[in-house]
Amino acid sequence: METAISTENLTKRYGRARGIENVSLEVLPGQIFGFIGPNGAGKSTFIRTLLGLIRPSSGHVSVLGNTIPLKSRSVLKQIGYMPSEASYYRGMRALDVFRMSSRLRRKDCERESWVLSDRLGLDPTRPVADLSFGNQKKVAIVAAMQHKPKLLILDEPTSGLDPLVQRAFWDILHERNRQGTTIFISSHVLSEVQQHCSHAAIIRDGRILVSDSVSRLGENTARRITLRGINELTQDIINFSGVLKVDIHSSESSILYQGDMHDLLARINQLPYSDIIITEPSLEEIFLHVYERGQ
């Protein structure tokens, strides 16, 4: 199967500074892929290299079957890109931004731009300079999506959007995905990645720590065991093989554990707790755990 995005040992350095280092990643057609990491982790550098906006120091990049940057111009017609921060010419209305983008792609997108603007609550007749940060983000979303690309690459798209607009945004993305669009979305909002993405990768200091389906990221990591009515744990539990992290509070204690639950529960059942809750960790907890391990 042809990949939507494929990189092999992709590296970008800025002099002595590192951007990304030996990034190997694969995104298949039809996936909604979350790219997770805090500011400065290398997300935007990776995306700009995918688009051919910056040249890699080494490694291989393929997007929609085309080698980048060799065939950047032809493949960009099939991509919708939204940067984390967009700038516009002074004096332009949102409508002018959409029309300019349409002309660059040699495609009539006017009807779709109005439909998207209406769904996001954007008045495209207003000058962009007069729009709030959130409404300027809407302009970038519409410009990226109006030509109905095969691949959407969105860099921190929901920051600055209120909850109702975020809901409309995700509704549109899922509709496009059902129509066959592959979506690659960078984010530091872990809850939205867990809710909306089928696959995800975690990047730290320019390197990929883990890449898998969102469901397997949760399944393979650990379980959170919360014990209520107890504010201390014995050393044999704290030091038990597979215990990754312990949090002790005034009225409860919790354990992040990876291993055979029967072995640990046999020890826990000797404690005078009043209630026990066993849950899958959230993607945020998975993210923090992977970062702490630095694997």
Side-chain angles (χ1 to χ4, degrees):
M1 178 186 293
E2 181 182 284
T3 57
I5 296 171
S6 177
T7 69
E8 183 178 353
N9 298 323
L10 185 63
T11 297
K12 176 61 182 178
R13 298 190 183 95
Y14 301 95
R16 294 183 178 179
R18 173 221 24 89
I20 52 175
E21 191 79 25
N22 294 324
V23 173
S24 296
L25 193 66
E26 187 174 87
V27 179
L28 298 179
Q31 289 182 342
I32 303 180
F33 197 101
F35 198 46
I36 312 167
N39 293 334
K43 301 191 302 296
S44 294
T45 295
F46 179 75
I47 286 173
R48 290 167 186 158
T49 307
L50 289 182
L51 296 165
L53 299 177
I54 56 177
R55 287 182 173 269
S57 302
S58 61
H60 175 78
V61 188
S62 175
V63 178
L64 298 177
N66 295 270
T67 300
I68 304 297
L70 184 63
K71 296 185 178 180
S72 296
R73 182 168 298 191
S74 60
V75 76
L76 285 175
K77 296 178 181 179
Q78 305 175 69
I79 296 175
Y81 168 54
M82 177 186 172
S84 58
E85 297 180 5
S87 300
Y88 306 99
Y89 291 113
R90 292 181 63 84
M92 293 186 77
R93 301 170 299 167
L95 192 60
D96 299 323
V97 175
F98 304 150
R99 287 172 175 169
M100 182 181 71
S101 179
S102 298
R103 287 195 296 270
L104 288 172
R105 298 179 183 282
R106 299 180 180 179
K107 188 173 182 179
D108 183 3
C109 306
E110 185 161 357
R111 182 180 181 278
E112 188 64 18
S113 70
W114 280 99
V115 169
L116 291 170
S117 296
D118 181 64
R119 293 187 65 177
L120 294 172
L122 173 68
D123 179 0
T125 65
R126 293 185 61 191
V128 176
D130 294 344
L131 297 176
S132 65
F133 176 73
N135 279 315
Q136 289 192 18
K137 296 282 284 192
K138 296 176 189 178
V139 174
I141 291 171
V142 174
M145 300 180 69
Q146 64 174 353
H147 60 293
K148 297 185 176 181
K150 289 180 63 176
L151 172 64
L152 272 170
I153 298 178
L154 309 172
D155 196 357
E156 301 283 358
T158 59
S159 62
L161 300 180
D162 66 54
L164 289 177
V165 176
Q166 288 187 31
R167 180 184 297 179
F169 166 76
W170 284 109
D171 285 345
I172 295 168
L173 279 195
H174 282 288
E175 288 171 12
R176 292 293 180 87
N177 182 247
R178 287 193 292 271
Q179 294 165 7
T181 302
T182 304
I183 299 165
F184 184 89
I185 183 164
S186 81
S187 179
H188 61 263
V189 183
L190 302 174
S191 59
E192 68 180 15
V193 172
Q194 185 166 29
Q195 182 177 356
H196 298 287
C197 297
S198 58
H199 292 72
I202 298 175
I203 185 170
R204 175 186 183 181
D205 295 333
R207 296 178 181 271
I208 299 295
L209 298 182
V210 63
S211 179
D212 208 334
S213 70
V214 169
S215 60
R216 281 197 294 268
L217 281 174
E219 290 173 358
N220 294 339
T221 302
R223 293 294 182 271
R224 168 63 66 184
I225 304 163
T226 301
L227 303 174
R228 291 180 174 168
I230 185 170
N231 60 4
E232 62 179 315
L233 298 172
T234 58
Q235 285 300 312
D236 68 324
I237 291 178
I238 294 173
N239 298 323
F240 190 72
S241 176
V243 171
L244 307 173
K245 187 178 180 182
V246 172
D247 295 305
I248 300 176
H249 304 286
S250 60
S251 60
E252 67 179 35
S253 299
S254 65
I255 303 164
L256 187 63
Y257 175 71
Q258 185 173 38
D260 189 326
M261 291 296 296
H262 294 89
D263 293 342
L264 182 63
L265 287 175
R267 295 173 184 258
I268 287 176
N269 285 333
Q270 299 175 24
L271 299 176
Y273 61 85
S274 61
D275 193 12
I276 183 170
I277 302 171
I278 302 175
T279 60
E280 291 186 359
S282 67
L283 190 60
E284 182 171 5
E285 191 161 24
I286 294 166
F287 175 84
L288 292 173
H289 173 56
V290 170
Y291 254 58
E292 287 168 358
R293 288 187 304 177
Q295 67 173 26

